[in-house]
Amino acid sequence: MNAPLIPIARQIVLIPLVALASYGLMVALPLSLGDESKRQLSPDLVASYRRDLGIGEPLGFLRPWQKLLQGKRLGTSSQGVTGEELLTKLASSMAVGLVAVALALCWAFAYALLRWSVPRARWTAIGELVPALAFGTPVFIPALLLAPHAVEAGHFLPELSAALVISVWPGIFLGTLGADSFKTELARDYVRAARSKGLSQRRVLYRHVLPNVVPTLLDSIPPVATALLAGSFAAERVLGLPYFGQLYVLAVLQKQIAVVVVATTLFATVLVVVRLIVGLARWLVDPRAREPIPSEAAP
Amino acid sequence: MTRQLSGPARFLLVGAALLVLLWALSFALAVLWPSPLARLCPLGRDLLRPDTSVCELAFGGLWISLSVGLLAGAAATITGLGVASVARLFGGWVESALMRSADALFALPDVLVLMVLQFAAQTAGDLHPRLRISAVLLMILSLAMVGWAAPARLFRDRLETLERAEFVGAARALGAGRWHLLSRHLWPFLRDYGLAIFLSRVPAAILAESTISFLGIGKIEPMSLGRYLGTSYASLLYGEGARIVVPAWVLLILIVLGTSLAGRGASAVARH
């Protein structure tokens, strides 16, 4: 297979894989075991699980998607969701995520500047503490601290607060990666050679260093997107935003089996699309991405 | 005569000492001698549990969170090592399939997969009581099932690099089989590396557990740090939230700082 097609195929296959794995996990639940008396779930609820998952029907695994496409409510009660609502919630979560990306870039720029300006001797302590502070802070903690001031205020302040709290770790991650990549590239021989030939610092940076740093930064986008979407679960729950993250958490808490299956697949699809866009960008800007991939299991 | 410790060894020692101190202190103050914490806590009483001080709940949660994180980190590292060893032993399609499944797990956030696993296991327990397992064991198992992918990928790449070394070539030339190579010649090189990987998994496990417990999905008893904050969450939005949230936050940062320092030291030791 062509070099660029292999990673694309590997990514796309994840969507049906996640759909089937999440569906298979739910179908494997003992929905048909006897001894009804010991169950903590009512027979009606179990029957609705079976109905929603299309158990016993031909092509039953398509049942939740069929319901969504027909505009029916997915789920066991009024707590369920229609396809339109699901997409609106996903779009809202992604809008918050996009604001978070902008904020993460601000954090990254500020942190990279800090790394450049602080002398190396003093850096060790800050270099340990700042990432520990960013990574060691689960999203729900700053969300809890901001919530009393943001939830009642309205005017998109809860959305902005959610974007702010989920942007911290990705920002520090991008800042660390960017600063380290620039430092590594600037220490290479080709930079010294370019400078010795009389090229200005600006030209060396834009023409030679930046093209080598961009692929590293592009590679960091998928984990950043994953972190932003994962952060939305806690941020939306604490800040009372009725979007996709909150929907997912409530679906798990209220045991809405079909909603969990569909939402997990949609979540994976968003991440796969991000990875495909990054892969395409990488293929365009980095010639190394166009080279054939060696077989993993080669001796 | 005193021996000067190298930089990486010092990092490893300081980080490990911080972790041991946090665990021992929280276990002692929360389990063995709780009365001083109850009497002398400067942060006052909890909003929902007026008979318990904030310090008791925070240190009690720290002990549980740290224990769950250490056990889950160890389980994930051992599973990853096992998967990587099997992948390198068999090679071919077995290796490809195992590494592709590790990549598939990478594509989804830990918290999402954890929620699905907890949901499935809890629903199975509700449907059939014989399938119910304790919340702590369920959390450790699900964290290990989520966390094995990164160690597996790292161990597999390390093994592949080691297999190109001259001493491995020599052993092969003398007739050593794959299992002999792995058990006698390669595993000794993985010990320090494995420690570094384990230390990198611990904070990830603790933070994932905190988030899941905070959201009310993980139901660990006695309460972990995340579950403690999650149960008080409604009151924190209106009451004196910072007094309760900040101590738990500081303890989580100390855990991450300890594992980060120790992990950095262990990585440097492994490289040398």
Side-chain angles (χ1 to χ4, degrees):
Chain A
M1 206 186 279
N2 284 336
L5 294 182
I6 296 172
I8 291 175
R10 279 179 186 170
Q11 290 299 327
I12 290 176
V13 85
L14 279 175
I15 299 172
L17 198 71
V18 169
L20 287 174
S22 53
Y23 180 82
L25 191 66
M26 299 309 158
V27 170
L29 293 174
L31 295 173
S32 57
L33 278 180
D35 208 358
E36 303 274 340
S37 59
K38 285 183 182 170
R39 277 184 184 153
Q40 291 193 352
L41 300 179
S42 68
D44 287 349
L45 195 61
V46 176
S48 73
Y49 284 171
R50 294 177 60 83
R51 211 171 35 244
D52 269 358
L53 291 172
I55 293 174
E57 295 173 24
L59 295 177
F61 68 93
L62 293 175
R63 178 80 180 130
W65 300 97
Q66 194 187 4
K67 271 185 103 172
L68 276 186
L69 291 172
Q70 286 170 348
K72 290 181 184 166
R73 194 163 278 276
L74 194 64
T76 50
S77 64
S78 58
Q79 294 153 342
V81 67
T82 63
E84 200 180 329
E85 286 169 353
L86 199 65
L87 288 179
T88 312
K89 284 173 187 288
L90 183 61
S92 307
S93 276
M94 286 172 70
V96 172
L98 284 176
V99 178
V101 169
L103 290 170
L105 289 174
C106 296
W107 286 111
F109 190 65
Y111 184 62
L113 271 182
L114 182 75
R115 285 196 78 150
W116 279 103
S117 53
V118 175
R120 187 174 284 186
R122 284 192 205 161
W123 179 250
T124 315
I126 304 173
E128 288 297 333
L129 200 62
V130 175
L133 199 67
F135 184 59
T137 303
V139 167
F140 63 81
I141 285 185
L144 278 173
L145 296 173
L146 280 177
H149 315 287
V151 171
E152 301 288 332
H155 300 293
F156 291 107
L157 199 59
E159 281 85 351
L160 202 62
S161 304
L164 184 69
V165 298
I166 61 178
S167 68
V168 179
W169 179 81
I172 301 298
F173 172 67
L174 280 175
T176 310
L177 205 70
D180 285 352
S181 306
F182 265 104
K183 264 187 183 166
T184 310
E185 290 302 323
L186 285 171
R188 291 195 192 277
D189 287 344
Y190 74 86
V191 175
R192 275 197 293 275
R195 293 284 292 155
S196 65
K197 285 186 172 182
L199 264 70
S200 67
Q201 179 78 10
R202 180 185 286 256
R203 192 165 168 74
V204 170
L205 269 178
Y206 285 105
R207 183 85 182 138
H208 297 282
V209 175
L210 201 58
N212 284 311
V213 171
V214 166
T216 311
L217 292 179
L218 280 175
D219 284 346
S220 70
I221 291 176
V224 163
T226 309
L228 291 176
L229 283 172
S232 70
F233 294 127
E236 288 179 13
R237 180 103 175 103
V238 176
L239 292 159
L241 298 173
Y243 303 151
F244 193 74
Q246 164 114 266
L247 168 94
Y248 196 93
V249 174
L250 289 177
V252 172
L253 287 172
Q254 294 160 355
K255 300 206 187 304
Q256 306 276 334
I257 284 190
V259 180
V260 171
V261 171
V262 168
T264 306
T265 311
L266 273 180
F267 205 99
T269 309
V270 170
L271 292 175
V272 165
V273 169
V274 170
R275 280 163 192 264
L276 287 176
I277 294 170
V278 168
L280 181 68
R282 178 94 202 253
W283 188 78
L284 289 172
V285 302
D286 186 11
R288 285 168 295 190
R290 287 171 234 151
E291 288 170 6
I293 299 169
S295 167
E296 185 156 44
Chain B
M1 196 174 82
T2 57
R3 232 179 77 195
Q4 190 76 31
L5 281 172
S6 66
R10 207 176 305 149
F11 274 121
L12 181 57
L13 203 68
V14 170
L18 184 58
L19 286 178
V20 171
L21 185 74
L22 282 172
W23 191 89
L25 195 69
S26 57
F27 182 73
L29 291 176
V31 180
L32 300 179
W33 304 287
S35 52
L37 269 188
R39 275 186 287 114
L40 305 171
C41 181
L43 299 165
R45 300 274 144 183
D46 185 59
L47 295 171
L48 288 185
R49 308 162 196 86
D51 55 334
T52 319
S53 71
V54 170
C55 302
E56 280 177 276
L57 289 163
F59 276 96
L62 174 68
W63 171 68
I64 297 293
S65 288
L66 199 48
S67 304
V68 168
L70 289 168
L71 288 170
T77 309
I78 292 167
T79 311
L81 178 61
V83 170
S85 304
V86 170
R88 288 312 292 166
L89 268 176
F90 290 95
W93 68 267
V94 174
E95 183 169 21
S96 282
L98 287 172
M99 290 304 112
R100 286 289 78 76
S101 49
D103 292 346
L105 255 186
F106 272 135
L108 293 169
D110 287 3
V111 172
L112 180 96
V113 185
L114 261 180
M115 276 199 268
V116 174
L117 290 174
Q118 290 273 327
F119 169 73
Q122 286 170 12
T123 309
D126 286 347
L127 287 163
H128 206 267
R130 252 183 297 168
L131 296 173
R132 195 171 296 147
I133 54 172
S134 86
V136 175
L137 185 62
L138 175 61
M139 183 59 80
I140 292 169
L141 287 177
S142 25
L143 284 167
M145 283 167 80
V146 169
W148 65 268
R153 173 57 74 184
L154 291 165
F155 278 124
R156 182 250 166 219
D157 291 349
R158 179 73 165 173
L159 280 170
E160 193 190 30
T161 310
L162 285 170
E163 281 168 19
R164 290 199 209 107
E166 282 184 8
F167 71 92
V168 177
R172 258 201 210 108
L174 289 168
R178 282 186 163 193
W179 175 249
H180 177 85
L181 273 177
L182 192 66
S183 58
R184 284 299 177 108
H185 299 286
L186 299 179
W187 272 356
F189 284 92
L190 294 178
R191 261 182 249 142
D192 292 335
Y193 194 63
L195 179 64
I197 291 174
F198 161 68
L199 288 166
S200 75
R201 285 313 311 166
V202 173
I206 289 173
L207 293 175
E209 182 278 315
S210 299
T211 305
I212 292 295
S213 298
F214 173 78
L215 293 172
I217 296 163
K219 295 182 173 78
I220 291 182
E221 286 293 341
M223 287 189 291
S224 66
L225 276 177
R227 183 152 161 73
Y228 156 49
L229 292 179
T231 50
S232 316
Y233 134 78
S235 56
L236 294 178
L237 296 182
Y238 302 103
E240 318 137 77
R243 178 173 66 87
I244 290 164
V245 176
V246 171
W249 185 15
V250 172
L251 291 175
L252 279 172
I253 288 169
L254 284 176
I255 292 175
V256 174
L257 191 65
T259 48
S260 154
L261 284 171
R264 192 175 147 176
S267 306
V269 168
R271 272 199 303 275
H272 290 124

